[in-house]
Amino acid sequence: MKLYCLLFLLSLCFQLYACDSKQDQVEGFFSQSGHTNNWAVLVCTSRFWFNYRHIANTLSMYRTVKRLGIPDSNIILMLADDVSCNPRNTYPATVYNNAARFLDLYGENVEVDYRGYEVTVENFIRMLTGRVSPDTPRSKRLLSDDRSNIFVYMTGHGGDEFLKFQDAEEISAYDLADAFKQMSEKNRYNEIFFMIDTCQANTMYKRIDSPNILATGSSKLGESSYSHHIDYDIGVAVIDSFTYYNLEFLEKVDMTSDATLQDLFQTYDPVKIASEPGIRSDLFHRPLDKVKVTDFFGNVQNVELTRQRYPLIEEDDNISLTYNDSTTFDTPANPIQLEPTIRHSFKVQQRPQSLSWYISNPASLFGGLVTIILGYFISKSLTI
């Protein structure tokens, strides 16, 4: 009887071990950072032709986050939008961020959510905190939750703890910190990555005291933030240095990249940028070498590719499906009869596990063998 109990305990232990390992795999599969969705808030606080580079900065970040998987429905773009069709634009209806003009940032689908004089401090803070009027359309709402990672990018003209909005008003470091505080109290984010490109940019995140916020800026107190280069045909600077070198790194990243924010920050060179970038990570709970760039610039990609195929068997017998190396579909001759059938649900017929699967899962194999042996001994004892 002692032998039976011992075998039973061994079987139970191995089954529990197998369940724990599967649970760890499931948790690691869904997200290491704990977020299930991504948002981007991109704000250009300038207007007028001579601020062309600020428009290009913002549109460059817009293109990057879209390329890495964040849909327009999860991007809030605040833009004066007054340079693409400006009479002084040598290349009408275009915005470029490089003098070579290889890429037109305005040539494809650009959805501006807050345009022109809608770009105000009040609208920015209301959008972040969710205190918008009931008639505000969905495209102008930040519908984030406590599982959202949010990338907030701002560019324009600023100074010591302030950033100008279209030369008409200012947002202070205290205003920004208070907005993030409200977001934290309302569970409107999981993590925030705040990036700002302006003069004395690092002073804008000094007053933030909310948890799980990582911040970086282009220049320290007393420093200006400079443009990278001029397009002499357009007649103005087309991009700022800090944004330019961030994009230089991000252009090498795709949705499946394992590049981390630590890798990004290590590329910051004060000599090239012509100012000293700052990084604030004391409020952030994860080590930077474990934070993927796509945790903020990309979108959640919970897709697992397997070599095993799953045949789809329809519940309705009117259509027969065969799934093998060459998939064939036998359908009725009359296409009108097919329409209601296609709308029916499909059930997945899973193939039985092969021997290779059990070999790759030794805990399950051993547990199964112990269970069989235990059952054999129990049956023998009952027959005696």
Side-chain angles (χ1 to χ4, degrees), residues 31-70:
S31 182
Q32 293 183 352
S33 65
H35 73 290
T36 59
N37 59 93
N38 286 79
W39 287 79
V41 178
L42 312 175
V43 186
C44 174
T45 63
S46 298
R47 63 182 303 113
F48 309 123
W49 174 252
F50 55 85
N51 291 319
Y52 184 106
R53 68 187 185 278
H54 296 154
I55 304 288
N57 290 345
T58 312
L59 288 177
S60 297
M61 285 298 178
Y62 174 76
R63 173 186 173 273
T64 297
V65 296
K66 283 187 67 174
R67 179 178 62 84
L68 294 178
I70 301 182

Side-chain angles (χ1 to χ4, degrees), residues 117-234:
Y117 290 106
E118 291 180 325
V119 183
T120 63
V121 174
E122 179 182 356
N123 285 342
F124 174 65
I125 292 178
R126 285 186 178 277
M127 178 266 299
L128 287 181
T129 58
R131 294 186 290 112
V132 296
S133 61
D135 59 345
T136 302
R138 186 196 183 282
S139 61
K140 294 186 177 184
R141 296 173 182 260
L142 180 66
L143 301 176
S144 56
D145 53 35
D146 61 345
R147 309 295 281 179
S148 303
N149 274 13
I150 307 175
F151 171 56
V152 180
Y153 174 84
M154 303 185 75
T155 184
H157 291 290
D160 185 5
E161 297 190 11
F162 73 89
L163 178 65
K164 292 195 295 184
F165 268 65
Q166 300 190 2
D167 290 337
E169 55 182 345
E170 299 172 355
I171 184 173
S172 72
Y174 291 95
D175 296 329
L176 186 65
D178 181 67
F180 286 156
K181 187 69 172 178
Q182 292 185 52
M183 294 177 69
S184 175
E185 292 173 350
K186 294 179 179 180
N187 294 320
R188 288 180 59 81
Y189 71 87
N190 174 59
E191 295 172 341
I192 290 179
F193 180 33
F194 175 62
M195 178 182 288
I196 182 168
D197 190 351
T198 184
C199 297
Q200 307 185 62
N202 302 347
T203 63
M204 282 299 294
Y205 54 70
K206 284 173 55 178
R207 305 302 174 182
I208 298 174
D209 58 359
S210 303
N212 298 337
I213 296 180
L214 175 66
T216 183
S218 59
S219 53
K220 66 179 183 180
L221 176 65
E223 281 188 339
S224 296
S225 183
Y226 295 98
S227 62
H228 186 265
H229 67 276
I230 294 175
D231 184 337
Y232 289 97
D233 288 336
I234 294 177

Side-chain angles (χ1 to χ4, degrees), residues 304-314 321-325 327 329 346-354 357:
E304 183 179 13
L305 301 179
T306 63
R307 295 183 179 275
Q308 186 177 4
R309 294 181 176 181
Y310 294 91
L312 295 177
I313 306 299
E314 190 180 7
L321 300 176
T322 304
Y323 196 105
N324 48 33
D325 292 337
T327 304
F329 297 88
F346 287 85
K347 58 183 178 181
V348 176
Q349 184 180 26
Q350 199 167 16
R351 295 181 179 178
Q353 303 293 354
S354 61
W357 183 88

